[in-house]
Amino acid sequence: MRILLLVTAFNGLSQRAWCALREAGHDVSVLFATGEADMISGVQRADPELIICPFLKDRVPAQVWQNRPTVIIHPGPVGDRGPSSLDWAIADGARSWGVTALQAVEEMDAGPIWATRTFALPAAPPRKSSLYNGPVADAAMECILEVVTKAHDPSFAPVPADQAQARPLMRQPDRAFDWTDSTEKIVRKIRAADGAPGVKTEVGGLPVFAYDALPGVGRGGRPGQILTRRQGAVLVGTGDGSVWLGHLRPADPGHGRFGIKLPATSLLGARLRGVPHSPLPVGSEPEHPGTYRQVRYRRTGAVGWLAFDFYNGAMAPGHCRRLIAALRHAVAQDTEVLVLRGGTDAFSNGIHLNVIEAAPDPASAAWANIRAINEVCREIITCTRQVVIAGYAGSAGAGGVMLGLGADIVAARDGIVLNPFYDMGLYGSELHTFTLPRRVGADSAQRLIDEKLPVSAARARSIGLVDEVGPRHPDAYADWLAALAERESDVRAARNRRQAKARRLAAERVPLEVYEARELAEMSRDMYADRSGFAAARHAFVRKEKATETPVRLLPPAAVKAAPKARRAATLRPAVPVSA
């Protein structure tokens, strides 16, 4: 079928749908909802047999849904309506939830039903972003595939939906809490607003929107008092305990960093004077689930496990330094295998654009960031003391994809999406010109960089970008990854693999430093001379500015031919060298 994805943004769910439908043999294109006239003309050019809206905040024009089958993917069960479905589900402590595929009609979320799925919600409140990218996205994909199957059936008719009253948009008064409230209530409120819009409150005397909440351990001060800080987060007293806040966004439009979500300690700055640090030695075990920690190391027999989980997968220089220290600690241990496992929400998305945008000198901040993440990549590539397994439990983008490619084995969870290319007006580094062609070949590496298209875990395995693909459910993936690590920990097999890697590295004609120097020479032009629009692209990304046009690479062929030549030239850049 000719299928058009009509979206507000090409987010993770939209990318999953794009990959799955293309791999199923369909002709799939994407159209951004940039305005009613643009939507109408874009649909006419694409001439789809079916329109699916996996992530759409805008109303579909009547001229579109009256003439072509148009299905909305709503993140709520049958009978649920409204723009804040997940927010209310988390805030109200719902024990089950669902996803519904609805035919577009005049009234939003009120059309007849094409497909639906339900799933259980945990008792502990999940972050809204985690819920959306996990169970909601999985259920949505099942609905989307069912919709496509039913669209082939001329006898199918969607089931009329029972009329239900739409729940209102959740606003800040609905989200409000007081620091004298219980920890559980505060955490639930913040997680229902994570990653947007956050909950307005006051921390350290500064009006902010709060994100990234985790219950703390015990209590030691008055409600609202900042008790300690660790790894970018602050611990704030509550009515019955404490809560960690990992990220904050200024709420005052007059603040110099208004609109930028940042690690809490970066935003609060001098307001933390006198607040003690709460360090944890590298390699020490957390004393309680409420211990705020982004990097953890443990070992089970001959396998060392280094887990890192950075908010939204963004890695500022401080995150990189913590990961490097943990890597060096792990490499020094007497194990046969080292597993690097990123978070389930995101393995990594590369450098921290928000921190860069907020810096007094963004160019120099970006330079320091890329140098720091390159050091992490070098540690992985050159490790010959253990067999290194990179476990991609979550999706990854740009330098975050490249981060783990130097491992001996790359293992991805089914259902994740990889974006193995650089955008944002950056050439890219992370030693990708060394690792990427050695995995997929020079020609395929060039295509990945040039085409700038997402890759599913299944396709990544077929082209050699990853070696193994494990189960979709996070718990099943964890068990599968443990079994993989155990198999690779055989002493003789591990020794042979390490020795072979050491020989390959020793035989390299061009040193790693040369690859990095070439990449950094290009990056310096992007960061300091802004030759490809890095500053504007970064600003638009950080400020969540709505796209004004659909990227040419996602348009149907007929629309690409009609696109202005300047746009095509900007998108189809000259190929970047991926070999020595």
Side-chain angles (χ1 to χ4, degrees):
M1 297 186 73
R2 289 190 311 280
I3 300 174
L4 178 67
L5 301 182
L6 180 58
V7 300
T8 298
F10 198 43
N11 70 341
L13 174 56
S14 304
Q15 291 177 17
R16 279 184 67 176
W18 185 88
C19 291
L21 294 173
R22 279 170 58 97
E23 289 166 11
H26 300 288
D27 181 358
V28 188
S29 56
V30 178
L31 179 67
F32 281 25
T34 55
E36 183 172 335
D38 289 342
M39 283 190 269
I40 293 171
S41 61
V43 168
Q44 290 173 343
R45 284 195 300 270
D47 190 26
E49 298 167 273
L50 174 66
I51 299 173
I52 300 177
C53 308
F55 175 66
L56 185 66
K57 296 182 178 181
D58 307 79
R59 187 181 299 276
V60 180
Q63 189 173 334
V64 172
W65 59 260
Q66 287 175 351
N67 294 289
R68 301 176 191 268
T70 304
V71 179
I72 310 292
I73 305 302
H74 174 68
V78 173
D80 176 81
R81 292 174 55 199
S84 300
S85 294
L86 297 183
D87 311 59
W88 288 114
I90 298 169
D92 293 345
R95 300 311 303 268
S96 65
W97 204 242
V99 171
T100 310
L102 302 155
Q103 188 159 311
V105 294
E106 183 65 31
E107 194 174 356
M108 294 186 75
D109 303 334
I113 299 166
W114 281 64
T116 186
R117 294 291 188 279
T118 57
F119 50 84
L121 287 180
R127 287 203 322 224
K128 183 172 67 170
S129 54
S130 301
L131 178 61
Y132 180 82
N133 292 320
V136 169
D138 289 343
M141 285 305 305
E142 293 183 15
C143 287
I144 288 170
L145 296 176
E146 182 176 333
V147 165
V148 174
T149 299
K150 288 177 175 177
H152 279 287
D153 182 0
S155 66
F156 169 74
V159 179
D162 295 332
Q163 290 300 311
Q165 185 174 0
R167 287 198 278 188
L169 174 71
M170 185 180 284
R171 303 185 183 278
Q172 285 301 324
D174 303 311
R175 305 181 189 276
F177 64 83
D178 190 276
W179 286 111
T180 59
D181 291 339
S182 68
T183 296
E184 193 278 338
K185 179 179 179 179
I186 293 171
V187 169
R188 185 174 294 278
K189 290 275 191 177
I190 295 175
R191 289 186 173 177
D194 210 332
V199 179
K200 191 172 183 180
T201 184
E202 187 174 285
V203 179
L206 181 68
V208 296
F209 292 95
Y211 307 83
D212 191 15
L214 177 75
V217 182
R219 59 185 301 179
R222 65 181 184 278
Q225 179 185 359
I226 301 177
L227 307 176
T228 187
R229 48 178 156 162
R230 174 189 295 153
Q231 297 185 355
V234 293
L235 185 67
V236 183
T238 66
D240 62 355
S242 57
V243 60
W244 288 101
L245 298 179
H247 285 74
L248 304 172
R249 177 169 61 90
D252 181 2
H255 194 283
R257 294 173 169 180
F258 179 71
I260 306 179
K261 188 191 304 183
L262 293 167
T265 56
S266 298
L267 181 62
L268 294 173
R271 295 173 182 269
L272 295 176
R273 188 174 292 114
V275 175
H277 289 270
S278 179
L280 282 171
V282 173
S284 64
E285 292 300 320
E287 69 275 11
H288 187 275
T291 301
Y292 188 89
R293 195 164 191 177
Q294 297 168 331
V295 183
R296 290 178 168 85
Y297 178 79
R298 63 181 175 87
R299 58 179 296 176
T300 56
V303 179
W305 293 84
L306 179 54
F308 57 96
D309 191 357
F310 302 122
Y311 187 71
N312 290 338
M315 297 174 63
H319 302 115
C320 297
R321 287 191 293 269
R322 284 191 283 276
L323 187 52
I324 291 166
L327 262 171
R328 291 171 178 165
H329 170 83
V331 170
Q333 305 308 303
D334 183 23
T335 60
E336 299 294 334
V337 172
L338 171 58
V339 181
L340 307 175
R341 176 171 172 170
T344 302
D345 286 353
F347 177 82
S348 172
N349 283 312
I351 59 177
H352 204 308
L353 296 174
N354 286 41
V355 169
I356 293 169
E357 177 73 6
D361 181 359
S364 294
W367 184 254
N369 203 157
I370 200 65
R371 295 295 298 272
I373 201 169
N374 279 2
E375 193 170 349
V376 177
C377 298
R378 193 182 304 110
E379 289 286 336
I380 296 170
I381 292 170
T382 59
C383 177
T384 56
R385 286 177 58 94
Q386 286 103 353
V387 174
V388 181
I389 300 175
Y392 287 65
S395 297
V401 175
M402 311 305 180
L403 180 74
L405 296 188
D408 301 289
I409 300 169
V410 177
R413 181 170 63 87
D414 185 31
I416 71 167
V417 175
L418 304 177
N419 284 275
F421 56 84
Y422 293 93
D423 215 345
M424 295 285 164
L426 291 176
Y427 175 94
S429 191
E430 287 89 10
L431 293 166
H432 76 280
T433 55
F434 177 84
T435 56
L436 187 59
R438 281 160 179 75
R439 284 205 151 266
V440 303
D443 291 342
S444 292
Q446 194 67 70
R447 281 194 297 273
L448 290 171
I449 292 292
D450 290 345
E451 291 176 351
K452 301 185 187 304
L453 295 173
V455 177
S456 69
R459 179 164 179 261
R461 179 174 55 187
S462 71
I463 64 175
L465 188 63
V466 306
D467 303 297
E468 305 280 352
V469 175
R472 177 166 300 181
H473 192 279
D475 292 341
Y477 176 77
D479 294 339
W480 174 86
L481 190 61
L484 173 64
E486 190 63 32
R487 289 197 304 271
E488 294 296 329
S489 68
D490 174 78
V491 175
R492 179 176 296 179
R495 182 177 65 245
N496 291 341
R497 188 187 282 273
R498 293 196 305 268
Q499 290 174 347
K501 180 179 181 179
R503 287 194 296 270
R504 287 197 305 271
L505 290 173
E508 289 289 344
R509 183 174 60 85
V510 180
L512 275 178
E513 289 77 7
V514 174
Y515 289 91
E516 183 179 21
R518 288 173 174 170
E519 293 171 3
L520 291 178
E522 298 288 347
M523 291 287 272
S524 68
R525 298 174 65 191
D526 294 332
M527 292 174 172
Y528 286 101
D530 199 28
R531 65 172 174 178
S532 301
F534 172 50
R538 182 188 68 237
H539 181 84
F541 175 84
V542 170
R543 306 286 179 171
K544 308 301 180 195
E545 294 179 0
K546 187 176 179 179
T548 57
E549 59 184 6
T550 305
V552 174
R553 64 184 184 271
L554 301 175
L555 292 172
V560 173
K561 292 178 182 177
K565 290 183 178 180
R567 284 181 63 201
R568 283 188 280 130
T571 302
L572 306 176
R573 296 180 183 175
V576 298
V578 293
S579 65

